[in-house]
Amino acid sequence: MIPSILPTYSRAPMQFVKGEGCWLIEADGRRFLDMGAGIAVNVLGHANPELTAALTKQAETLWHVSNLYQIDQQQELADRLTEATFADTVFFTNSGTEACELAVKMARKYWSDKGEDRVEIVAFTGAFHGRSSAAIAASGAEKMVKGFGPLLPGFIQVPFADHDALRAAVSDKTCAIIIEPIQGEGGIVNVPDQCLKGLRDLCDETGALLIFDEVQCGVGRTGKLFAHEWAGVTPDIMMVAKGIGGGFPLGAVLATENAASGMVLGTHGSTYGGNPLACAVGNAVMKTVANDEFLDEVNRKAGLLRQKLEGLVAAHPGVFESVRGSGLMLGVKCKIAPGEVVSAGFAEEVIVVPAADNTIRLLPPLNITDAEISEAVVRLDRAASALKAA
Ligand SMILES: *Cc1c(COP(=O)(O)O)cnc(C)c1O
């Protein structure tokens, strides 16, 4: 018999009833150190007092109004985001997937309005942009698209880091190039700064719009507000979600005035996107994260975590291979199935997240303490020892 929850997820046996900072707690009091943060979502930890206060205050005042009316909290968040980034304008969504939908629509409408037949969107193998028809077509991965055809046409996948294939794929039919500055689901794979610069140049030459998917790597995760800032280039369109809501469903598409020029009155909408509850939390997240002192601390802690993970890899060469990633978005490539490492971590009450390419991911709350970083690596060390003994 089919379970009452559609069985698309393989769920671990833990059941958390409470969260506190970097900790998730079961009914019997067992405390797990959460290095996954709901997959890069809880940027300020669980039950953060400032976010709770912002959400509660808004809940007591006004939950929801339609986008048919002015929404102060939304205006404030849009102003914060445009002030802090390349973008001139923002549309709010409820998720990363919805941000992908709009990014694709925006890019196609841009060329349509110019009267040009440019609909092709170039994406990269190993990419993840969500689970909608557009997002799975962009990824092209067999496990995501199989059985869901006919797929949305117009997407081309280029092998990751294959410059010749990229040059060959981009033509006067190319509408946009979409890329995660750091692949998350793909296994924490950094795009080198010079490649992001190269993509920007290629887009400038050909006119194609550049879309950065910063759903996982954005909002302070890499020690800059957005990961592309490290490379010193900006996109035309950017997808944001996960961390921006700190656990409340919120996403956004940020764009330049030029890239957004096709999205005029009536061309897009959302019932919930940017509602007062979500934006009250988004503003509270931005207030803390879009701050140099906070980001300096993320960088310092990232250095500490990375150094300790390098030590872990050196201590367990039969289990681990190497550390990669950037900031507090780190991956450890494993020599055994990453699922086994994740399970061994659960036994030691530390949570990490599996990813593709035999990798485990560490994406802790950005306000994790030094002591918690040390404790997480001690627990992973015990997990790796238990795996070796088994
Ligand atoms: C999670 C993720 C998405 C999809 O976001 P949802 O909120 O799950 O729809 C898109 N792109 C990237 C890079 C992601 O990590």
Side-chain angles (χ1 to χ4, degrees), residues 94-98 128-131 180 184-185 213 215-216 239 241-242:
N94 307 290
S95 67
T97 297
E98 287 167 76
F128 182 81
H129 301 296
R131 295 290 199 151
E180 296 157 84
E185 304 303 307
D213 179 348
V215 169
Q216 195 161 146
M239 298 153 52
K242 293 201 167 98

Side-chain angles (χ1 to χ4, degrees), residues 35-36 39-40 128 183-188 216 242 309 328-334 338 342 351-356 359-364 380:
M35 302 299 282
I39 314 191
F128 182 81
Q183 282 192 348
E185 304 303 307
I188 312 293
Q216 195 161 146
K242 293 201 167 98
L309 289 176
L328 288 174
M329 182 172 187
L330 294 174
V332 181
K333 176 129 189 194
C334 303
V342 171
I351 297 171
V352 296
V353 184
T359 309
I360 58 165
R361 270 180 283 181
L362 289 91
L363 311 151
L380 287 172

Side-chain angles (χ1 to χ4, degrees), residues 309-342:
L309 289 176
E310 300 281 5
L312 179 75
V313 169
H316 301 278
V319 179
F320 301 120
E321 196 174 304
S322 56
V323 183
R324 58 201 197 191
S326 168
L328 288 174
M329 182 172 187
L330 294 174
V332 181
K333 176 129 189 194
C334 303
K335 288 186 180 156
I336 62 174
E340 276 185 60
V341 179
V342 171

Side-chain angles (χ1 to χ4, degrees), residues 62-234:
L62 181 67
W63 285 29
H64 177 82
V65 292
S66 166
N67 280 308
L68 293 170
Y69 312 103
Q70 312 289 327
I71 301 176
D72 271 2
Q73 296 78 6
Q74 188 181 127
Q75 185 64 55
E76 182 185 338
L77 185 54
D79 291 343
R80 282 181 192 278
L81 285 167
T82 53
E83 213 162 279
T85 66
F86 71 95
D88 302 311
T89 187
V90 184
F91 185 93
F92 291 102
T93 67
N94 307 290
S95 67
T97 297
E98 287 167 76
C100 181
E101 289 295 310
L102 173 55
V104 167
K105 284 177 68 176
M106 185 182 281
R108 286 187 169 165
K109 185 69 161 46
Y110 175 86
W111 289 111
S112 170
D113 279 13
K114 293 197 177 327
E116 288 197 39
D117 174 29
R118 291 178 73 148
V119 300
E120 286 179 5
I121 298 183
V122 173
F124 293 86
T125 52
F128 182 81
H129 301 296
R131 295 290 199 151
S132 64
S133 296
I136 64 173
S139 152
E142 161 108 3
K143 66 171 189 181
M144 272 189 278
V145 303
K146 197 172 172 217
F148 295 117
L151 295 179
L152 191 66
F155 290 88
I156 298 172
Q157 286 81 31
V158 169
F160 202 75
D162 184 338
H163 295 164
D164 295 337
L166 177 65
R167 286 252 159 208
V170 176
S171 71
D172 59 2
K173 295 280 176 251
T174 306
C175 161
I177 300 176
I178 182 168
I179 190 166
E180 296 157 84
I182 304 172
Q183 282 192 348
E185 304 303 307
I188 312 293
V189 187
N190 283 60
V191 180
D193 288 352
Q194 70 268 24
C195 293
L196 287 182
K197 287 197 183 100
L199 280 175
R200 179 70 269 175
D201 290 344
L202 185 59
C203 286
D204 290 343
E205 268 168 50
T206 58
L209 297 172
L210 184 57
I211 304 171
F212 285 162
D213 179 348
E214 293 230 17
V215 169
Q216 195 161 146
C217 62
V219 193
R221 180 72 28 208
T222 67
K224 296 261 190 203
L225 186 56
F226 291 101
H228 69 263
E229 293 171 33
W230 289 109
V233 295
T234 57

